[in-house]
Amino acid sequence: MSRPLTFLGLESSCDDTAAAIVRLAPNGPAQILSSVVAGQTDLHAAFGGVVPEIAARAHAEKLDHCVEQALTQANLTLSGVDAIAVTAGPGLIGGVVSGVMCAKGLAAATGKPLYGVNHLAGHALTPRLTDDVPYPYLMLLVSGGHCQFLLVSGPDTFKRLGGTIDDAPGEAFDKVARLIALPQPGGPAIEQAAKSGDPRRFAFPRPLMDRPGCDMSFSGLKTAVLRARDAAVAAQSGLTLQDQADLAAGFQVAVVDVLAEKTRRAFALYPAAAPRTLCVAGGVAANGAIRLALETVSREHEANFVAPPLALCTDNAAMIAFAAAEQSQHRTPDDLSLSARPRWPLDQSQPAMLGSGKKGAKA
Ligand code: KG4
Ligand code: ZN
């Protein structure tokens, strides 16, 4: 790379419409010139989850406004952009199609190169955008839609070490919150309630601990909370605030234990290059108890621990622009036949995961 590259990125694979501009300098850190995210929480609130059709329509309506805003905030026009990057999957297909069509329109109108980016690659490369983390590094993606360990060895080289075989942890936090009458999103509500709870009162399972490797399961844990709740309700005809706090604390510590132990196993599959780094991304990375456990496991392995700022851990378009800019050093652009993919495993050598979360395919 002989001169700075300025990429416009678009993201619309779930319930956030986003556009961003990122500049990659030949020998300096990447710079986020703008990052606009328009959420859709209000549109889906009444339905208890993301409604794909509503999401797709909202993306189609908002994408061009987000692009305009991103350009204005970066003090640029389209002519100052070198390439257009867009999430081409995995995700809710209507939303991904909206983004890909918008990006194709921009590329066709301006003659700029077009890059289709895997959404998970965007998350997985974020620690290089924020902290310039050297390859190879270990990545734990934990959100409402994703949960997997990746060994990241290059902008296009990902080895999937394991992941959830059913629910993503954020999905489990949200469902458990609903079960014990806490508000949505469930993660922050459970974390708060757990502070005054006794994590030892309920003995919840740690699923798949007896199985080797880094695969995880969270749906049985949710069922165990349901049974414990029902037993408490039956015993005293209702749930006290203390019951609620104890259930939240017991559930949270079970998730923490599973993630910590599976992270130890992921370290065993991470070649002993120095320096070693564990990175985390996704909304669940906001959880203090989970962060603390991951930091402790990193210390045990003499590894650095990197958690990008939350706005870049959750869905955004800066990660898509940055991933495309990094990948553009090693790959050719896509043409206008680029298609949207509901499923797109990062590591093609691994069998596809079953099931799809409320926020789209788990890939
Ligand atoms: O990455 P994200 O914003 O969206 C996608 O999943 O795409 O993650 C949202 C998820 C929700 O399920 C939410 O409950 C969870 O992250 N979350 C948390 C916390 N904050 C957000 N989970 C546990 N503890 C938290 N403090
Ligand atoms: Zn995501």
Side-chain angles (χ1 to χ4, degrees), residues 14-16 119 123 142-146 169-171 173-174 185-188 191 252 282-288 290 310 313-315 358-359:
C14 185
D15 58 349
D16 291 306
H119 176 84
H123 279 305
V142 266
S143 69
H146 324 294
E171 205 176 342
F173 268 97
D174 293 341
E191 183 172 17
Q252 181 172 275
V284 179
N287 186 288
I290 293 174
L310 202 61
C313 268
T314 54
D315 288 350
K358 69 179 164 69
K359 294 189 169 183

